[in-house]
Amino acid sequence: RRRKAEHLSLPPKVERSVRVPLRPLQRRWYRALLEKNVSALGPASNARSLVNVLASLRKCCNHPYLFPGAEPEPFEEGEHIVAASAKLLLLDRLLRKMKPRGDRVL
């Protein structure tokens, strides 16, 4: 059995933090969660989603469609899934630039 250090040579890991502003839908959900405003979260929300506010805020920053009732009805796959989240929008733009250059992404 071979060891990883013997046969695997990877370039050093580079980590960069990029701050992106929230999209309007994310901002609306974030504010409603902070204020614990159940009426602004819509009919599908319940009090249990407000129990752990910090986890809910993190979920909102990842993608607002993670909450029940946040996605438009009837739900259809499309570009709006990427456009609703600032993180996915940035990642989509980065990957479009990196692929033609032949960069590898993990």
Side-chain angles (χ1 to χ4, degrees):
R1 192 174 148 143
R2 294 171 27 178
R3 294 185 182 189
K4 186 173 18 173
E6 294 172 2
H7 74 282
L8 186 62
S9 60
L10 292 174
K13 179 180 169 183
V14 177
E15 186 174 326
R16 293 190 176 105
S17 295
V18 180
R19 297 186 184 272
V20 292
L22 294 176
R23 303 288 294 167
L25 180 62
Q26 285 178 299
R27 194 174 299 120
R28 190 175 72 218
W29 277 85
Y30 196 92
R31 176 163 284 144
L33 287 166
L34 270 180
E35 296 171 351
K36 296 187 178 185
N37 187 353
V38 178
S39 62
L41 295 175
S45 68
N46 54 20
R48 280 192 295 158
S49 67
L50 297 176
V51 171
N52 191 348
V53 176
L54 207 55
S56 296
L57 291 175
R58 192 175 306 123
K59 223 164 80 167
C60 178
C61 288
N62 285 332
H63 204 289
Y65 289 2
L66 293 173
F67 294 101
E71 66 271 353
E73 291 294 332
F75 182 75
E76 294 177 3
E77 290 185 15
E79 197 62 29
H80 68 94
I81 296 173
V82 174
S85 171
K87 282 184 180 182
L88 284 182
L89 198 59
L90 176 69
L91 187 62
D92 188 48
R93 288 180 185 167
L94 281 174
L95 291 176
R96 280 190 204 159
K97 289 181 181 180
M98 294 174 84
K99 188 174 181 178
R101 292 191 316 206
D103 291 337
R104 297 184 335 183
V105 179
L106 177 63

